[in-house]
Amino acid sequence: MENYFQKEIETASPEQMKKIQDEKLVKQVKHVWDNVPYYRKKMEEAGVTPDDIKSRDDLHKLPFLSKADLRLAYPYGLLGEPLEKCVRIHSTSGTTGKRVIAFYTQEDLDMWSDCTARALVAAGATKESVVQVSYGYGLFTGGAGLNDGSHKLGCLTVPTSSGSTDRQIMFIQDLEASILCCTPSYAAYLAERMKEMGLSPDDIPLKAGIFGAEAWSEEMRRDIEKTMGIKAYDIYGLTELSGPGVSFECCEQSGMHINEDHFIPEIIDPDTGEVLPDETEGELVFTAIDKTAFPIMRYRTRDICSLSRKKCSCGRTLIKMGKLKGRSDDMLIIRGVNVFPSQIETVLLNNGYPANYQIIVGRVNNTDTFDIHVEMTPEMFTDNLGEVESRQKKLVDDLKAMLGIKAKVTLVAPKSITRSEGKAVRVIDNRKL
Ligand code: DLL
């Protein structure tokens, strides 16, 4: 029998859900108009006032917010509450220097942990479960998000954070963890390590995994499930909207239920901004209707997928989004970390290299590989291997400081990277997702 964390909401009728959304949206638009001058100005420019928004059907009248707005408004420009009411921030990994900072009141955190608790229950968690949270803790939302949902449910929460792979496996074994939360690529790495240690699925106490924060294929899901003897569930979210738990998979494992009593989704044509019907692929846009410290409206995620209201066998009526197909911009997600080619370019140019480089991303044994080929200038070109190695090491270190993950850097001879006559192709992504 299917369990729910908040059954009345998760199985509400379409009419009940619309009523919840209409009421919250009207209230939220007033809150934003009164407290967020940045967005009020956008509304004024679009000729919209709170009186024009009477229900969800009027959502399309509101202006979009984009990542560029978030950067312009950095750090406090979209804050909807006095700072003394805020109790936490989280932050994205940052693009060209400016990170996005999201603020939370205690009520916002409570709402967020409801979302992750729903995801945990959908993956089979009860208060008897031991939940190992191997997402990073800190500014990243993964660790804190699943941690708080697990607490709320009353699970024994094991806050290992990411890294120290053998220790992770020791805790899973010794504490008989039943649910593992981490990125799919880390799950694959853990699975690989378990296999190397001679552990068979029967030796591994885990029953389920809640994996997200990056795109992953069905093949990868099947591999992880087989090696660990678990059911692997997808989970989606983004810092701007709180973090993981914006949507989550249920036993059907075919798309993620969106917590639409908190986040109203729309799919738009990324070029025209036109709202598209259900089952059509486009850019996902979200309006947060009840978080007040960082109340973002019609936020363009740049994630591409479709929405579906088809009946789900789990009994949840929450709308579903399909697995993510890709992004409408150039951001790469490598080992769960957001990487922009422009960040790499900055590091290279700061170190005196020309802007001739190539980023090659692949996937070996379910883990992302990340290679950067960088051309030397003729002045740098040398036969002295020691010198080349120390130059490479300097770049690896600087890139790690900028991106938070390690790349393999290879310095190549001047003029060896093909010049382009049109737009440069800097990224070769060989991952088949
Ligand atoms: O990745 C929040 C999160 C943490 C989600 C843990 C799930 C689990 P950000 O770092 O702000 O937040 O990155 C958000 O990551 O716009 C997507 O492009 C991508 N992403 C998140 N979940 C998935 C997923 C967290 N399940 C960005 N599948 C989003 C594919 C995902 N991509």
PDB file of all heavy atoms in Angstrom, residues 134-159:
ATOM      1  N   SER A 134      24.468  11.565   1.585  1.00  0.00           N
ATOM      2  CA  SER A 134      25.820  11.713   1.046  1.00  0.00           C
ATOM      3  C   SER A 134      25.887  12.799  -0.028  1.00  0.00           C
ATOM      4  O   SER A 134      26.805  12.817  -0.839  1.00  0.00           O
ATOM      5  CB  SER A 134      26.308  10.374   0.484  1.00  0.00           C
ATOM      6  OG  SER A 134      26.095   9.346   1.424  1.00  0.00           O
ATOM      7  N   TYR A 135      24.894  13.681  -0.048  1.00  0.00           N
ATOM      8  CA  TYR A 135      25.026  14.925  -0.821  1.00  0.00           C
ATOM      9  C   TYR A 135      25.918  15.840  -0.002  1.00  0.00           C
ATOM     10  O   TYR A 135      25.972  15.738   1.227  1.00  0.00           O
ATOM     11  CB  TYR A 135      23.668  15.616  -0.972  1.00  0.00           C
ATOM     12  CG  TYR A 135      22.711  14.989  -1.945  1.00  0.00           C
ATOM     13  CD1 TYR A 135      21.561  14.355  -1.509  1.00  0.00           C
ATOM     14  CD2 TYR A 135      22.939  15.074  -3.320  1.00  0.00           C
ATOM     15  CE1 TYR A 135      20.656  13.799  -2.405  1.00  0.00           C
ATOM     16  CE2 TYR A 135      22.046  14.520  -4.219  1.00  0.00           C
ATOM     17  CZ  TYR A 135      20.907  13.888  -3.757  1.00  0.00           C
ATOM     18  OH  TYR A 135      20.028  13.342  -4.652  1.00  0.00           O
ATOM     19  N   GLY A 136      26.575  16.780  -0.686  1.00  0.00           N
ATOM     20  CA  GLY A 136      27.416  17.729   0.032  1.00  0.00           C
ATOM     21  C   GLY A 136      26.593  18.602   0.988  1.00  0.00           C
ATOM     22  O   GLY A 136      25.481  19.003   0.663  1.00  0.00           O
ATOM     23  N   TYR A 137      27.133  18.826   2.156  1.00  0.00           N
ATOM     24  CA  TYR A 137      26.530  19.765   3.118  1.00  0.00           C
ATOM     25  C   TYR A 137      27.268  21.094   2.970  1.00  0.00           C
ATOM     26  O   TYR A 137      28.458  21.115   2.689  1.00  0.00           O
ATOM     27  CB  TYR A 137      26.704  19.262   4.550  1.00  0.00           C
ATOM     28  CG  TYR A 137      25.698  18.199   4.973  1.00  0.00           C
ATOM     29  CD1 TYR A 137      25.672  16.960   4.338  1.00  0.00           C
ATOM     30  CD2 TYR A 137      24.784  18.434   6.002  1.00  0.00           C
ATOM     31  CE1 TYR A 137      24.762  15.985   4.716  1.00  0.00           C
ATOM     32  CE2 TYR A 137      23.870  17.462   6.383  1.00  0.00           C
ATOM     33  CZ  TYR A 137      23.862  16.236   5.742  1.00  0.00           C
ATOM     34  OH  TYR A 137      22.959  15.284   6.121  1.00  0.00           O
ATOM     35  N   GLY A 138      26.589  22.171   3.211  1.00  0.00           N
ATOM     36  CA  GLY A 138      27.239  23.474   3.104  1.00  0.00           C
ATOM     37  C   GLY A 138      26.358  24.404   2.297  1.00  0.00           C
ATOM     38  O   GLY A 138      25.137  24.379   2.426  1.00  0.00           O
ATOM     39  N   LEU A 139      26.964  25.186   1.440  1.00  0.00           N
ATOM     40  CA  LEU A 139      26.172  26.124   0.631  1.00  0.00           C
ATOM     41  C   LEU A 139      25.258  25.373  -0.336  1.00  0.00           C
ATOM     42  O   LEU A 139      24.155  25.816  -0.635  1.00  0.00           O
ATOM     43  CB  LEU A 139      27.095  27.064  -0.144  1.00  0.00           C
ATOM     44  CG  LEU A 139      27.794  28.114   0.724  1.00  0.00           C
ATOM     45  CD1 LEU A 139      28.857  28.850  -0.095  1.00  0.00           C
ATOM     46  CD2 LEU A 139      26.798  29.111   1.306  1.00  0.00           C
ATOM     47  N   PHE A 140      25.712  24.223  -0.828  1.00  0.00           N
ATOM     48  CA  PHE A 140      24.894  23.376  -1.711  1.00  0.00           C
ATOM     49  C   PHE A 140      23.651  22.924  -0.947  1.00  0.00           C
ATOM     50  O   PHE A 140      23.705  22.642   0.245  1.00  0.00           O
ATOM     51  CB  PHE A 140      25.736  22.178  -2.152  1.00  0.00           C
ATOM     52  CG  PHE A 140      25.025  21.201  -3.047  1.00  0.00           C
ATOM     53  CD1 PHE A 140      24.398  21.625  -4.207  1.00  0.00           C
ATOM     54  CD2 PHE A 140      24.995  19.848  -2.733  1.00  0.00           C
ATOM     55  CE1 PHE A 140      23.747  20.718  -5.041  1.00  0.00           C
ATOM     56  CE2 PHE A 140      24.353  18.929  -3.562  1.00  0.00           C
ATOM     57  CZ  PHE A 140      23.726  19.367  -4.712  1.00  0.00           C
ATOM     58  N   THR A 141      22.528  22.856  -1.663  1.00  0.00           N
ATOM     59  CA  THR A 141      21.260  22.548  -0.989  1.00  0.00           C
ATOM     60  C   THR A 141      21.015  21.055  -0.772  1.00  0.00           C
ATOM     61  O   THR A 141      20.105  20.691  -0.029  1.00  0.00           O
ATOM     62  CB  THR A 141      20.087  23.071  -1.845  1.00  0.00           C
ATOM     63  OG1 THR A 141      20.230  22.534  -3.172  1.00  0.00           O
ATOM     64  CG2 THR A 141      20.064  24.588  -1.896  1.00  0.00           C
ATOM     65  N   GLY A 142      21.809  20.207  -1.441  1.00  0.00           N
ATOM     66  CA  GLY A 142      21.534  18.772  -1.399  1.00  0.00           C
ATOM     67  C   GLY A 142      21.549  18.192   0.011  1.00  0.00           C
ATOM     68  O   GLY A 142      20.588  17.541   0.436  1.00  0.00           O
ATOM     69  N   GLY A 143      22.644  18.410   0.719  1.00  0.00           N
ATOM     70  CA  GLY A 143      22.784  17.841   2.068  1.00  0.00           C
ATOM     71  C   GLY A 143      21.704  18.344   3.014  1.00  0.00           C
ATOM     72  O   GLY A 143      20.942  17.562   3.593  1.00  0.00           O
ATOM     73  N   ALA A 144      21.612  19.654   3.131  1.00  0.00           N
ATOM     74  CA  ALA A 144      20.648  20.247   4.082  1.00  0.00           C
ATOM     75  C   ALA A 144      19.213  19.845   3.738  1.00  0.00           C
ATOM     76  O   ALA A 144      18.414  19.545   4.632  1.00  0.00           O
ATOM     77  CB  ALA A 144      20.779  21.773   4.062  1.00  0.00           C
ATOM     78  N   GLY A 145      18.898  19.821   2.448  1.00  0.00           N
ATOM     79  CA  GLY A 145      17.518  19.550   2.033  1.00  0.00           C
ATOM     80  C   GLY A 145      17.057  18.158   2.453  1.00  0.00           C
ATOM     81  O   GLY A 145      16.011  17.995   3.082  1.00  0.00           O
ATOM     82  N   LEU A 146      17.831  17.141   2.111  1.00  0.00           N
ATOM     83  CA  LEU A 146      17.431  15.771   2.457  1.00  0.00           C
ATOM     84  C   LEU A 146      17.576  15.527   3.955  1.00  0.00           C
ATOM     85  O   LEU A 146      16.789  14.797   4.552  1.00  0.00           O
ATOM     86  CB  LEU A 146      18.271  14.769   1.664  1.00  0.00           C
ATOM     87  CG  LEU A 146      17.742  14.333   0.291  1.00  0.00           C
ATOM     88  CD1 LEU A 146      16.298  13.826   0.375  1.00  0.00           C
ATOM     89  CD2 LEU A 146      17.808  15.417  -0.749  1.00  0.00           C
ATOM     90  N   ASN A 147      18.568  16.171   4.557  1.00  0.00           N
ATOM     91  CA  ASN A 147      18.773  16.042   5.999  1.00  0.00           C
ATOM     92  C   ASN A 147      17.505  16.483   6.747  1.00  0.00           C
ATOM     93  O   ASN A 147      16.997  15.772   7.616  1.00  0.00           O
ATOM     94  CB  ASN A 147      19.941  16.949   6.400  1.00  0.00           C
ATOM     95  CG  ASN A 147      20.331  16.811   7.857  1.00  0.00           C
ATOM     96  OD1 ASN A 147      21.148  15.962   8.193  1.00  0.00           O
ATOM     97  ND2 ASN A 147      19.748  17.614   8.722  1.00  0.00           N
ATOM     98  N   ASP A 148      16.975  17.642   6.368  1.00  0.00           N
ATOM     99  CA  ASP A 148      15.846  18.200   7.118  1.00  0.00           C
ATOM    100  C   ASP A 148      14.565  17.400   6.886  1.00  0.00           C
ATOM    101  O   ASP A 148      13.756  17.234   7.805  1.00  0.00           O
ATOM    102  CB  ASP A 148      15.639  19.672   6.748  1.00  0.00           C
ATOM    103  CG  ASP A 148      16.805  20.546   7.233  1.00  0.00           C
ATOM    104  OD1 ASP A 148      17.728  19.992   7.873  1.00  0.00           O
ATOM    105  OD2 ASP A 148      16.797  21.760   6.980  1.00  0.00           O
ATOM    106  N   GLY A 149      14.399  16.874   5.666  1.00  0.00           N
ATOM    107  CA  GLY A 149      13.215  16.049   5.397  1.00  0.00           C
ATOM    108  C   GLY A 149      13.286  14.751   6.194  1.00  0.00           C
ATOM    109  O   GLY A 149      12.286  14.276   6.743  1.00  0.00           O
ATOM    110  N   SER A 150      14.487  14.197   6.269  1.00  0.00           N
ATOM    111  CA  SER A 150      14.689  12.948   7.001  1.00  0.00           C
ATOM    112  C   SER A 150      14.409  13.149   8.496  1.00  0.00           C
ATOM    113  O   SER A 150      13.752  12.334   9.148  1.00  0.00           O
ATOM    114  CB  SER A 150      16.121  12.464   6.737  1.00  0.00           C
ATOM    115  OG  SER A 150      16.474  11.417   7.578  1.00  0.00           O
ATOM    116  N   HIS A 151      14.893  14.281   9.044  1.00  0.00           N
ATOM    117  CA  HIS A 151      14.595  14.627  10.444  1.00  0.00           C
ATOM    118  C   HIS A 151      13.109  14.728  10.671  1.00  0.00           C
ATOM    119  O   HIS A 151      12.570  14.219  11.639  1.00  0.00           O
ATOM    120  CB  HIS A 151      15.161  16.019  10.747  1.00  0.00           C
ATOM    121  CG  HIS A 151      16.528  15.989  11.322  1.00  0.00           C
ATOM    122  ND1 HIS A 151      17.024  17.008  12.092  1.00  0.00           N
ATOM    123  CD2 HIS A 151      17.501  15.063  11.236  1.00  0.00           C
ATOM    124  CE1 HIS A 151      18.259  16.713  12.439  1.00  0.00           C
ATOM    125  NE2 HIS A 151      18.568  15.547  11.933  1.00  0.00           N
ATOM    126  N   LYS A 152      12.456  15.442   9.765  1.00  0.00           N
ATOM    127  CA  LYS A 152      11.029  15.709   9.933  1.00  0.00           C
ATOM    128  C   LYS A 152      10.240  14.411  10.008  1.00  0.00           C
ATOM    129  O   LYS A 152       9.301  14.273  10.769  1.00  0.00           O
ATOM    130  CB  LYS A 152      10.529  16.574   8.776  1.00  0.00           C
ATOM    131  CG  LYS A 152       9.124  17.069   8.981  1.00  0.00           C
ATOM    132  CD  LYS A 152       8.786  18.172   8.015  1.00  0.00           C
ATOM    133  CE  LYS A 152       8.626  19.502   8.717  1.00  0.00           C
ATOM    134  NZ  LYS A 152       8.364  20.604   7.814  1.00  0.00           N
ATOM    135  N   LEU A 153      10.702  13.446   9.228  1.00  0.00           N
ATOM    136  CA  LEU A 153      10.032  12.148   9.192  1.00  0.00           C
ATOM    137  C   LEU A 153      10.362  11.316  10.425  1.00  0.00           C
ATOM    138  O   LEU A 153       9.691  10.345  10.730  1.00  0.00           O
ATOM    139  CB  LEU A 153      10.541  11.423   7.941  1.00  0.00           C
ATOM    140  CG  LEU A 153       9.599  10.629   7.118  1.00  0.00           C
ATOM    141  CD1 LEU A 153       8.420  11.495   6.674  1.00  0.00           C
ATOM    142  CD2 LEU A 153      10.338  10.142   5.864  1.00  0.00           C
ATOM    143  N   GLY A 154      11.429  11.686  11.103  1.00  0.00           N
ATOM    144  CA  GLY A 154      11.840  10.927  12.282  1.00  0.00           C
ATOM    145  C   GLY A 154      12.774   9.777  11.944  1.00  0.00           C
ATOM    146  O   GLY A 154      12.948   8.855  12.738  1.00  0.00           O
ATOM    147  N   CYS A 155      13.393   9.832  10.777  1.00  0.00           N
ATOM    148  CA  CYS A 155      14.360   8.792  10.404  1.00  0.00           C
ATOM    149  C   CYS A 155      15.649   9.028  11.177  1.00  0.00           C
ATOM    150  O   CYS A 155      15.939  10.155  11.576  1.00  0.00           O
ATOM    151  CB  CYS A 155      14.696   8.866   8.921  1.00  0.00           C
ATOM    152  SG  CYS A 155      13.271   8.823   7.851  1.00  0.00           S
ATOM    153  N   LEU A 156      16.443   7.971  11.333  1.00  0.00           N
ATOM    154  CA  LEU A 156      17.785   8.172  11.859  1.00  0.00           C
ATOM    155  C   LEU A 156      18.615   8.707  10.694  1.00  0.00           C
ATOM    156  O   LEU A 156      18.787   8.032   9.677  1.00  0.00           O
ATOM    157  CB  LEU A 156      18.386   6.864  12.379  1.00  0.00           C
ATOM    158  CG  LEU A 156      19.812   7.004  12.907  1.00  0.00           C
ATOM    159  CD1 LEU A 156      19.858   7.904  14.143  1.00  0.00           C
ATOM    160  CD2 LEU A 156      20.401   5.643  13.239  1.00  0.00           C
ATOM    161  N   THR A 157      19.101   9.933  10.834  1.00  0.00           N
ATOM    162  CA  THR A 157      19.765  10.609   9.723  1.00  0.00           C
ATOM    163  C   THR A 157      21.274  10.509   9.894  1.00  0.00           C
ATOM    164  O   THR A 157      21.803  10.860  10.951  1.00  0.00           O
ATOM    165  CB  THR A 157      19.328  12.084   9.690  1.00  0.00           C
ATOM    166  OG1 THR A 157      17.905  12.125   9.763  1.00  0.00           O
ATOM    167  CG2 THR A 157      19.818  12.784   8.439  1.00  0.00           C
ATOM    168  N   VAL A 158      21.952  10.020   8.869  1.00  0.00           N
ATOM    169  CA  VAL A 158      23.414   9.874   8.925  1.00  0.00           C
ATOM    170  C   VAL A 158      24.024  10.912   7.980  1.00  0.00           C
ATOM    171  O   VAL A 158      24.024  10.730   6.757  1.00  0.00           O
ATOM    172  CB  VAL A 158      23.834   8.439   8.512  1.00  0.00           C
ATOM    173  CG1 VAL A 158      25.325   8.235   8.756  1.00  0.00           C
ATOM    174  CG2 VAL A 158      23.017   7.392   9.259  1.00  0.00           C
ATOM    175  N   PRO A 159      24.520  12.019   8.552  1.00  0.00           N
ATOM    176  CA  PRO A 159      24.952  13.149   7.697  1.00  0.00           C
ATOM    177  C   PRO A 159      26.387  13.025   7.228  1.00  0.00           C
ATOM    178  O   PRO A 159      27.243  13.833   7.577  1.00  0.00           O
ATOM    179  CB  PRO A 159      24.774  14.347   8.633  1.00  0.00           C
ATOM    180  CG  PRO A 159      25.069  13.799   9.992  1.00  0.00           C
ATOM    181  CD  PRO A 159      24.676  12.340   9.985  1.00  0.00           C
TER     182      PRO A 159
END
